Amino acid sequence: MRRPIIAGNWKMNKNIAETKALVSELIPLVKDAEAEVVICTPYTDLYTAVELTKGTNISVGAENVHWAESGAFTGEISASMLTEIGVKYVIIGHSERRQYFGETDETVNKRVIAALNAGLKVIVCVGETLEEKEAGKTEDVVTTQTIAAFKDVSSDKIDDIVVAYEPVWAIGTGRTATADDANATIKVIRDTLAKVFCPACSEKIRIQYGGSMNPKNAHDLMAQPEIDGGLIGGASLKAVDFSMVVKY
Ligand code: PEP
């Protein structure tokens, strides 16, 4: 009932020439995919990626967005600047933003509200650090982050919401959560969404797993009932690898 969604997170990789090469290679590889396909690129590649993917089954996303419409926010990009060039998705609250750029649950919530109001679809990242996992706090952390991210968000926006469960210790490390553990934590997130929105709403919201997902482990992860997709970092930088995850 929930259509799988596989999204690439390029992070701070690929210049315009590399974007043209990667997207051109990817288009034919994923054209028959059953899953929804999204690529999230650096700001400087967005326009090129949008132009190249017009008329294809690939949507383009940004990796962050500011909550203000305009103003004195040097270095920031607003939601309407993204929609103006045809961007459809935006990643919000990635652990690298939380870790290195002062992102908090409160600023995640402000970005989510601004993005949804502007007509963007959001991929909201939640997940525990290794320290939190070892202290047995995984459920508490994802529950708190989920509640905070969607504070004051109306349930009529649920079609535009994707959540990515990304255990921080699994990102870029080659360590993956077991399919069972990822499924169990995603169930906790879904139960939380049921309380934040409504039980029927939470059944409609797609929840991805992210953290060293690749062509080898994608099938097992995607076979889990609660896992509706993947947010893919490293493996999204090569067209063949990403297409294999898309077709898990
Ligand atoms: C990510 O950056 O969201 C991610 C999951 O990265 P990787 O796939 O490289 O672990």
Side-chain angles (χ1 to χ4, degrees):
M1 147 191 160
R2 295 182 295 264
R3 185 178 179 208
I5 173 167
I6 307 289
N9 173 16
W10 290 8
K11 311 194 187 197
M12 195 171 73
N13 293 294
K14 305 292 178 189
N15 59 26
I16 290 175
E18 291 164 340
T19 298
K20 286 181 182 163
L22 176 49
V23 174
S24 307
E25 193 184 347
L26 186 62
I27 290 170
L29 293 175
V30 300
K31 72 175 180 359
D32 301 321
E34 280 171 25
E36 184 175 352
V37 186
V38 182
I39 51 173
C40 300
T41 82
Y43 289 131
T44 49
D45 296 328
L46 288 171
Y47 185 79
T48 306
V50 168
E51 290 300 306
L52 283 173
T53 54
K54 276 189 179 151
T56 76
N57 60 334
I58 302 174
S59 301
V60 175
E63 299 173 15
N64 192 22
V65 65
H66 196 264
W67 54 84
E69 175 54 31
S70 62
F73 300 102
T74 302
E76 295 297 323
I77 300 282
S78 73
S80 64
M81 290 170 176
L82 297 175
T83 56
E84 182 188 22
I85 60 166
V87 169
K88 296 274 186 286
Y89 277 88
V90 61
I91 298 172
I92 296 177
H94 191 278
S95 62
E96 288 152 16
R97 305 271 348 147
R98 295 182 192 254
Q99 197 176 344
Y100 306 129
F101 300 101
E103 186 82 87
T104 64
D105 286 346
E106 193 188 3
T107 54
V108 167
N109 177 242
K110 289 165 91 165
R111 293 182 210 280
V112 167
I113 290 172
L116 290 171
N117 285 343
L120 285 167
K121 295 176 186 287
V122 296
I123 299 176
V124 178
C125 303
V126 299
E128 81 286 2
T129 62
L130 185 58
E131 203 184 1
E132 289 162 341
K133 173 185 161 65
E134 286 172 349
K137 292 186 181 158
T138 299
E139 293 194 8
D140 283 355
V141 170
V142 298
T143 301
T144 302
Q145 289 179 340
T146 304
I147 291 171
F150 298 111
K151 182 170 171 279
D152 298 331
V153 174
S154 156
S155 57
D156 63 15
K157 297 286 187 194
I158 55 167
D159 290 344
D160 294 338
I161 292 171
V162 176
V163 178
Y165 167 54
E166 298 210 302
V168 179
W169 49 269
I171 296 178
T173 59
R175 287 183 66 186
T176 319
T178 65
D180 281 349
D181 284 354
N183 191 64
T185 305
I186 287 177
K187 177 79 170 72
V188 171
I189 296 168
R190 197 174 305 287
D191 290 346
T192 306
L193 292 169
K195 289 181 194 138
V196 170
F197 296 111
C198 72
C201 308
S202 77
E203 289 303 317
K204 287 190 186 158
I205 296 175
R206 294 174 295 176
I207 309 180
Q208 302 169 311
Y209 168 79
S212 298
M213 196 162 162
N214 59 45
K216 286 196 182 125
N217 57 29
H219 181 78
D220 280 355
L221 287 159
M222 291 302 294
Q224 296 293 319
E226 296 294 340
I227 301 182
D228 305 318
L231 185 55
I232 321 298
S236 71
L237 297 174
K238 289 188 180 152
V240 172
D241 286 1
F242 187 58
S243 72
M244 286 168 77
V245 177
V246 165
K247 294 186 169 175
Y248 53 92

